[in-house]
Amino acid sequence: MIDDVVTVSAPARLHLGFLDPGGSLGRRFGGIGLALEAPSTTIRIRRAARDSISGESAERTEKHLVRLREALGIAGAHDLTVASQIPPHAGLGSGTQLALAIACGLRRLEGLPLDPGSDAALLGRGSRSGLGVAFVTGGGVAVDGGKGASELPPPLIAHLDFPDAWRVVLVVDPHDAGFHGQDELDAFAALPPFPEAHAARICQLVLMRALPGLAEGDLPAFGAAIAEIQEKVGAHFASAQGGVFTSKRVAAACEWLAANGAHGIGQSSWGPTGFAFCESEAAAERLVSRLVATGLGESLDLRIARGRNRGIEIDPPSAM
């Protein structure tokens, strides 16, 4: 059945750390990440007499739509609305999720099977991380195996649910932005070589501490692994972003969270969004309330988020 209107909701993601940015074994980057219930990007698409693009990021949206139609051999025009969007340049995967939401919506509308890997490559996404593609078909915590010789995004090598009770405190600085576009490419090019010993330690932490901690619901073990990964990766990127955290305000708030019982402190991608894990909604609310009382939360956007154990949602539903 081909539908008249399709709505797609794509989850934000936290990038919890690279495995081997230097590619010492031939596969560069690799990564571990988490899908979030909110924020999310939602688009609506239908056929139309002429193209009509509305909502945020209209220029980028139109380019994606035109490129996809050309590649898929789709004639005609479409009405496409970006109803909501993950904050851009915040380290939450907004660009990839918008591109994949459009691709999934167009394919569903036109009765075509989903192909997120090929669509990501077509639209210039997934050149370093396969996590955005992984969160099309599933949520939770995912690990990708790094970029090899293929033009496709890195393969998914592990996927586990995020415990329902756990929460994520997001520390968002609306007055700052992480590297993106050419600035991001330039920053990567200027980084020093990543120590092979650090890559080995990070892989050990992911395989033998973070994932087992997740499987057993052991937040201290999971959090300790993520915190150490973040320390090593953050130190590597510090020369480009001015410190382990892009935003000094986020850094101060996250340091307070770490000292007051939160787990797995870090920054998602180039930031400026920081994060911390708590064992429950109540624990997260108490920490955020106390953080606000210190004044360290001033001018920051503090959110409590749930992990999302499902991928992109398509209405009407689509067979994956």
Side-chain angles (χ1 to χ4, degrees):
M1 175 180 176
I2 298 178
D3 300 285
D4 295 325
V5 182
V6 172
T7 301
V8 182
S9 173
R13 64 100 181 100
L14 287 181
H15 196 282
L16 303 178
F18 284 122
L19 307 186
D20 184 3
S24 56
L25 293 178
R27 304 195 69 91
R28 195 175 181 199
F29 299 114
I32 178 170
L34 166 67
L36 299 174
E37 282 286 2
S40 63
T41 289
T42 300
I43 66 106
R44 291 189 296 271
I45 185 170
R46 69 183 76 203
R47 296 182 193 84
R50 66 178 188 277
D51 279 342
S52 175
I53 311 295
S54 59
E56 302 175 68
S57 301
E59 183 177 352
R60 175 184 286 188
T61 297
E62 184 175 20
K63 287 180 179 178
H64 287 333
L65 178 60
V66 170
R67 183 74 184 94
L68 285 161
R69 283 193 309 224
E70 290 174 350
L72 298 174
I74 296 171
H78 296 85
D79 182 321
L80 199 163
T81 299
V82 180
S84 66
Q85 189 175 352
I86 299 161
H89 315 314
L92 296 173
S94 63
T96 297
Q97 297 310 88
L98 174 63
L100 292 177
I102 294 167
C104 290
L106 181 64
R107 283 178 173 272
R108 179 67 181 95
L109 184 71
E110 300 296 340
L112 299 173
L114 299 189
D115 190 354
S118 294
D119 290 338
L122 175 72
L123 299 176
R125 313 306 304 183
S127 59
R128 284 176 294 276
S129 172
L131 297 174
V133 174
F135 294 142
V136 170
T137 55
V141 172
V143 179
D144 79 67
K147 187 73 172 176
S150 172
E151 292 301 316
L152 294 175
L156 178 68
I157 57 173
H159 213 163
L160 291 175
D161 280 352
F162 188 77
D164 290 338
W166 293 4
R167 294 292 183 269
V168 187
V169 176
L170 299 179
V171 185
V172 183
D173 188 342
H175 308 291
D176 209 338
F179 285 127
H180 57 278
Q182 188 60 48
D183 288 341
E184 181 181 22
L185 297 177
D186 292 344
F188 271 115
L191 289 173
F194 192 74
E196 190 170 342
H198 286 187
R201 175 61 175 168
I202 289 171
C203 290
Q204 181 187 37
L205 287 166
V206 169
L207 182 62
M208 300 305 294
R209 200 166 195 188
L211 295 183
L214 194 68
E216 295 180 344
D218 185 344
L219 180 56
F222 174 78
I226 298 302
E228 187 176 340
I229 291 167
Q230 283 284 317
E231 288 170 5
K232 287 180 167 50
V233 174
H236 180 65
F237 287 91
S239 61
Q241 62 188 19
V244 173
F245 289 84
T246 295
S247 164
K248 290 181 171 55
R249 289 182 291 269
V250 170
C254 285
E255 286 168 8
W256 185 93
L257 288 168
N260 285 273
H263 301 271
I265 311 300
Q267 172 181 282
S268 184
S269 190
W270 287 107
T273 300
F275 60 81
F277 296 95
C278 295
E279 63 270 18
S280 67
E281 180 87 19
E285 288 176 347
R286 284 194 298 270
L287 270 182
V288 169
S289 178
R290 290 173 56 201
L291 176 58
V292 169
T294 68
L296 290 172
E298 187 177 354
S299 77
L300 295 175
D301 181 3
L302 303 174
R303 309 182 187 187
I304 298 173
R306 300 172 64 101
R308 173 162 161 160
N309 290 321
R310 63 193 190 286
I312 276 183
E313 292 184 332
I314 305 175
D315 183 28
S318 171
M320 295 293 184

